């Protein structure tokens, strides 16, 4: 931020001139002035009392007087205890604003030369996506866009969990109860059809356990001996041996699921540069386990199972390969990490995975370090909390999961209802209205799930998320639509608003200055969100910008203004707010409407 740098430079000169103290400008921190005091930037004088040998208020007063005289950026000052509050000259704000207007890439980083891979979504092919997946998808997509905005080369990938006992459960239930049903014949999306058989497996399996317990068997024993569980395990073994019938059934059912997932991804507006499949990476994982044994960083137990000892890293011993040679999750993740690095030599590999896997990723990183892999240090687990609905937590196996497709449809219906009640669709064709409902629904859903720090567990309230007031997606979207209407009207009135059209304007209102301050902050916000992998910082910025603009809109007239330069400036200010609302929301994966 050029203005801040200039003021820091002036304070550095003032400390030298007034007190003979040398402090580099880069060491001088400025804070935004608190709302209740006049000023834009605040310099804290407490840390300098020793060096200067005076009290914090005396230091503030002397520096303030010097800056008012000598620094062209400073218009006025006030001192509150050890805080020197500086008011900035209007023309400085306007120069900054003109600079932003003419810089098309304002806020976006230069190419950094860093490669970052972001893995998100990572669904299982035995059931549809649910509410937890939505937070995952939106986080992964948004973090990718924010990292791109910081100048990094980003590759978005999806690791599909398409093998294992859970997949065989759906397959077995379909074999026994499916009667050749297909997505076409059932009228169900493919992922929903396969999910139906996953639930049916669980229902029958539980009945079998109860029957065995009724015959006097111990419950834990019954879980292992239930006929369907034994058959599912046999099916997994046949799959691993390449049995033609089992592999064909697996391919058919997976193809149904992928078609269903693709439809959901399109609806929710997320995409991927590459898909990885665990069925293709688990064998590579086994090779890495073998490599670890040869390097003597992994060890074999008497039963033939392979382990890594991570007690030195504050973790424990971890199983890498079962005694029968079958892989576990970590085996696959070792293989996938290697494959990903071969495809795209990354400086950082971000895994967007729920916080229940925190330990797993500590183990993965430590095991790769033991293997001496150059990419081990780049592994970063973007851990996020569960999403609850007001009615309680979701459970997939009982068939009471909060289905993503159903939730999206519910959001679209709510958007329709709210919008019709508020009469915001006059003059829309049915297609345009439908598009608006979808835009608002997705804006509400994404914004609500992204405005919370990823690490926090959260409660999602569909009704609250779609309100047109308060800290919501639709509030920010409505602000953009309102400005679009202003710009259309300005066009009809022939009002121009390029920088030259308000060259001699210098009478800024406080609310206009507040809006410019928000615009100026955009680069710092993008940088911070990228450093912390936190879309919540962008969401909060979009809300504060929209709020500042709405205050300006209520307090200051645009079209009734008689001074042509002032009017042009206000239209230009509106256009820039629309631009940065649009840019911010785009980083969250949210579209903003032109009309509402």
């Amino acid at each position: 931020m050029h203005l801040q740098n200039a003021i820091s430079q002036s304070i550095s000169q003032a400390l030298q001139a007034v007190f003979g103290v040398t402090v580099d400008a880069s060491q001088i921190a400025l804070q935004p002035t608190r709302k209740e005091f006049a000023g834009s930037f605040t310099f804290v004088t407490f840390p300098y009392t020793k060096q200067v040998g005076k009290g914090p208020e005396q230091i503030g007063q002397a520096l303030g007087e010097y800056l008012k005289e000598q620094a062209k950026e400073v218009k006025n000052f006030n001192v509150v205890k050890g805080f020197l509050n500086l008011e900035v000259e209007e023309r400085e704000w306007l120069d900054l604003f003109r600079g932003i207007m003419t810089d098309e890439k304002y806020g976006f980083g230069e190419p950094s030369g860093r490669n970052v891979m972001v893995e998100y979504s990572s669904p299982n092919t035995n059931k549809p996506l649910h509410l937890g997946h939505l937070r995952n998808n939106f986080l992964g997509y948004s973090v990718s866009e924010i990292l791109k905005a910081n100048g990094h080369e980003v590759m978005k990938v999806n690791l599909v969990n398409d093998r294992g006992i859970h997949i065989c459960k759906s397959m077995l239930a379909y074999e026994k109860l499916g009667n050749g049903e297909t997505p076409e014949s059932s009228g169900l999306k493919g992922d929903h059809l396969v999910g139906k058989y996953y639930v049916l497996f669980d229902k029958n399996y539980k009945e079998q356990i109860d029957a065995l317990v009724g015959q006097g068997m111990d419950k834990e024993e019954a879980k292992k001996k239930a006929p369907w569980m034994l058959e599912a395990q046999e099916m997994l073994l046949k799959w691993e041996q390449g049995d033609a019938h089992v592999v064909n059934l697996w391919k058919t059912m997976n193809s149904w699921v992928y078609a269903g997932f693709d439809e959901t991804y399109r609806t929710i507006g997320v995409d991927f540069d590459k898909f990885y499949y665990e069925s293709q990476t688990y064998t590579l994982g086994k090779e890495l386990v073998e490599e670890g044994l040869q390097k003597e960083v992994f060890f074999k137990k008497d039963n033939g199972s392979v382990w890594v000892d991570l007690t030195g890293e504050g973790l424990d011993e971890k199983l890498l390969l079962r005694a029968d040679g079958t892989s576990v999750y970590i085996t696959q993740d070792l293989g996938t990490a290697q494959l990903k690095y071969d495809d795209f030599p990354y400086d950082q590999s971000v895994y967007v995975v729920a916080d229940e896997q925190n330990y797993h990723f500590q183990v993965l990183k430590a095991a790769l370090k033991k293997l001496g892999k150059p990419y081990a240090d780049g592994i970063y687990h973007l851990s996020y909390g569960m999403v609850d609905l007001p009615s309680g937590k979701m459970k997939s196996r009982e068939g009471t999961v909060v289905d993503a497709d159903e939730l999206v449809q519910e959001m679209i219906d709510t958007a329709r209802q709210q919008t019709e009640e508020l009469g915001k669709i006059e003059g829309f064709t049915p297609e345009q209205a439908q598009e608006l409902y979808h835009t608002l629904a997705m804006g509400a859903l994404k914004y609500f799930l992204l405005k919370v720090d990823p690490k926090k567990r959260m409660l999602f309230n569909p009704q609250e998320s779609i309100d047109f007031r308060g800290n919501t997606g639709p509030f920010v979207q409505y602000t953009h639509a309102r400005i679009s209407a202003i710009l259309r009207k300005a066009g009809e009135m022939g009002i121009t608003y390029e920088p030259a059209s308000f060259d001699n304007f210098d009478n800024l209102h406080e609310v206009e200055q507040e809006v410019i301050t928000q615009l100026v902050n955009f680069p710092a916000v993008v940088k911070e969100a990228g450093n912390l992998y936190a879309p919540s910082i962008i969401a909060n910025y979009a809300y504060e910008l929209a709020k500042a603009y709405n205050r300006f809109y209520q307090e200051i007239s645009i079209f009734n203004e008689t001074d042509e330069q002032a009017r042009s400036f206000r239209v230009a200010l509106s256009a820039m707010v629309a631009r940065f609302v649009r840019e911010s929301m785009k980083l969250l994966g949210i579209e903003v409407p032109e009309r509402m």
Side-chain angles (χ1 to χ4, degrees):
M1 180 176 159
H2 316 301
L3 179 60
Q4 218 163 331
N5 295 344
I7 293 172
S8 295
Q9 200 69 53
S10 296
I11 292 173
S12 169
Q13 287 162 4
L15 283 164
Q16 183 67 54
V18 181
F19 301 115
V21 170
T22 306
V23 180
D24 192 77
S26 64
Q27 300 304 305
I28 289 173
L30 296 175
Q31 304 169 352
T33 302
R34 283 169 54 180
K35 290 270 190 282
E36 58 267 38
F37 305 114
S40 300
F41 301 108
T42 297
F43 175 63
V44 183
T45 59
F46 293 109
Y48 300 92
T49 50
K50 247 195 194 127
Q51 276 171 286
V52 171
K54 291 193 182 321
E57 290 188 50
Q58 283 175 288
I59 297 172
Q61 192 60 38
L63 289 178
E65 284 166 10
Y66 177 91
L67 291 167
K68 190 176 173 182
E69 283 296 312
Q70 303 293 330
K72 69 180 180 64
E73 306 86 18
V74 177
K75 179 182 177 183
N76 215 334
F77 74 96
N78 62 82
V79 179
V80 182
K81 298 195 170 103
F83 299 95
L84 167 61
N85 301 320
L86 301 170
E87 291 178 53
V88 174
E89 285 284 4
E90 272 97 343
R91 67 172 174 273
E92 293 294 327
W93 286 115
L94 285 159
D95 284 351
L96 263 179
F97 177 68
R98 290 186 188 98
I100 292 170
M101 274 188 85
T102 52
D103 181 355
E104 283 178 17
K105 294 187 77 65
Y106 185 76
F108 292 90
E110 291 296 316
S112 68
R114 273 177 75 77
N115 284 350
V116 186
M117 189 176 257
V118 183
E119 178 195 300
Y120 60 99
S121 199
S122 309
N124 294 337
T125 58
N126 60 334
K127 52 191 173 186
L129 302 177
H130 57 61
L131 175 55
H133 284 118
L134 289 178
R135 189 179 199 188
N136 180 309
N137 277 287
F138 298 155
L139 261 176
Y141 181 89
S142 179
V143 163
S144 301
E145 295 304 307
I146 291 165
L147 292 171
K148 283 183 198 171
N150 277 281
H152 309 319
E153 192 67 42
V154 177
M155 192 171 193
K156 298 184 277 192
V157 303
N158 187 345
L159 172 67
V160 182
N161 186 351
D162 65 341
R163 67 174 291 278
I165 191 74
H166 51 295
I167 312 294
C168 290
K169 288 176 181 178
S170 298
M171 288 162 61
L172 186 81
Y174 180 79
E175 280 260 78
K176 293 190 176 292
L177 308 169
N179 295 322
E181 187 177 31
T182 64
E184 290 71 33
S185 72
S186 64
L188 283 173
K189 262 178 93 226
D191 49 337
H192 287 258
L193 178 64
V194 173
K196 173 178 127 176
Y197 287 98
Y198 185 62
V199 173
L200 282 171
F201 175 92
D202 202 61
K203 183 170 166 282
N204 283 274
Y205 173 49
K206 281 193 174 129
E207 286 168 7
Q208 290 174 0
I209 294 169
D210 292 344
L212 290 172
V213 170
Q215 291 162 24
M217 193 183 277
D218 171 68
K219 186 158 188 186
E220 287 311 304
E221 187 68 9
K223 282 182 183 174
K224 291 176 192 157
K225 294 277 168 70
W228 274 25
M229 180 52 81
L230 294 173
E231 286 186 61
Q233 284 166 343
E234 192 189 336
M235 191 178 248
L236 178 59
L237 215 55
K238 281 183 173 175
W239 181 87
E240 293 212 0
Q241 289 160 357
D243 179 275
H245 172 71
V246 173
V247 170
N248 279 333
L249 177 64
W250 173 77
K251 283 182 177 168
T252 301
M253 291 180 75
N254 274 352
S255 71
W256 295 344
V257 173
Y258 297 145
F261 284 169
D262 285 349
E263 198 180 314
T264 304
Y265 290 141
R266 271 197 307 278
T267 303
I268 65 174
V270 301
D271 58 13
F272 306 92
D273 300 311
K274 192 172 175 71
F275 284 82
Y276 288 96
Y277 300 91
E278 290 195 356
S279 57
Q280 294 164 6
T281 65
Y282 80 105
T283 47
L284 181 56
K286 288 180 179 181
E287 287 168 24
L288 285 177
V289 171
E290 192 52 48
E291 182 188 320
L293 284 170
Q294 282 168 8
K295 288 182 173 174
E296 297 183 354
V297 291
F298 301 161
F299 68 93
K300 236 180 199 161
K301 288 200 175 174
D302 294 340
N303 66 356
S305 58
V306 182
W307 297 70
V308 60
D309 182 0
L310 298 173
T311 47
E313 285 78 2
L315 305 165
D316 53 16
E317 290 187 349
K318 178 75 183 170
L319 173 72
L320 299 178
L321 207 58
R322 292 192 192 97
D324 64 2
T326 54
S327 60
V328 288
Y329 271 128
I330 199 91
T331 329
Q332 287 150 199
D333 280 344
L334 289 168
T336 311
Q338 177 69 54
L339 189 58
K340 284 158 83 175
Y341 187 73
D342 293 343
D343 288 345
F344 184 70
Y346 51 73
D347 299 287
Q348 188 125 53
S349 180
V350 179
Y351 292 79
V352 183
V353 181
D355 54 13
E356 58 214 11
Q357 297 292 333
N358 287 355
Y359 180 75
H360 176 83
F361 283 99
Q362 289 175 302
V363 170
L364 177 65
K365 191 168 185 167
L368 288 168
K369 273 189 170 179
K370 288 251 187 215
L371 284 167
K373 295 298 174 189
Y375 50 84
D377 278 328
I379 284 179
Y380 179 81
H381 175 205
L382 177 52
S383 167
Y384 64 90
M386 286 287 295
V387 186
D388 297 314
L389 278 167
S391 57
K393 204 176 160 183
M394 48 203 177
K395 291 269 197 300
S396 57
R397 277 181 297 282
E398 282 129 47
T400 55
V401 62
V402 184
D403 180 79
D405 294 324
E406 283 172 25
L407 183 61
V408 167
Q409 192 50 55
E410 186 190 319
M411 294 296 294
I412 292 170
D413 295 341
T414 311
R416 176 188 294 113
Q417 187 191 328
Q418 293 264 37
T419 313
E420 284 171 357
E421 276 171 25
L422 293 168
K424 293 189 189 293
I425 50 158
E426 284 167 28
F428 276 56
T429 66
E431 293 76 28
Q432 288 170 329
Q434 203 49 48
E435 195 180 324
L436 178 66
Y437 305 143
H438 182 263
T439 300
L440 290 173
M442 292 318 304
L445 188 55
K446 289 184 184 184
Y447 188 91
F448 203 93
L449 293 179
L450 290 173
K451 74 175 180 180
V452 179
D453 181 315
K455 290 186 248 338
K456 289 186 178 145
R457 185 169 186 146
M458 67 174 297
L459 188 71
F460 173 64
N461 186 332
Q463 284 302 122
E464 192 188 319
S465 74
I466 214 153
D467 196 343
F468 285 90
R469 296 173 301 279
N471 189 0
T472 66
F475 167 73
V476 180
Q477 288 173 314
Y478 182 59
T479 302
H480 183 270
R482 165 179 271 173
I483 298 173
S484 299
I486 289 166
L487 298 179
R488 284 195 295 274
K489 185 174 177 183
E492 287 159 14
M493 292 171 71
I495 300 171
T496 55
Y497 56 89
E498 67 278 356
S501 62
F502 51 91
D503 244 358
N504 302 315
F505 172 68
D506 63 358
N507 187 19
L508 271 184
H509 285 264
E510 181 208 340
V511 286
E512 293 171 321
Q513 194 172 304
E514 193 185 322
V515 173
I516 296 175
T517 306
Q518 289 290 346
L519 297 174
V520 166
N521 285 340
F522 183 67
V525 167
V526 171
K527 199 170 175 141
E528 189 188 1
N531 289 341
L532 299 176
Y533 305 95
S536 51
I537 292 167
I538 301 283
N540 192 48
Y541 171 79
Y543 173 60
E544 290 300 331
L545 177 59
K547 211 164 62 168
Y549 181 81
N550 280 298
R551 190 179 152 213
F552 154 79
Y553 180 79
Q554 278 151 14
E555 292 183 22
I556 291 176
S557 171
I558 297 177
F559 295 116
N560 293 333
E561 174 58 64
T562 50
D563 179 339
E564 269 181 41
Q565 295 236 343
R567 195 173 56 194
S568 281
F569 164 71
R570 286 169 197 164
V571 174
L573 186 65
S574 302
M576 287 304 101
V577 171
R579 173 179 145 191
F580 288 101
V581 161
R582 202 162 49 241
E583 296 287 14
S584 306
M585 295 295 261
K586 196 173 167 191
L587 292 175
L588 301 175
I590 298 173
E591 292 178 358
V592 285
E594 299 286 323
R595 290 170 58 215
M596 255 165 89

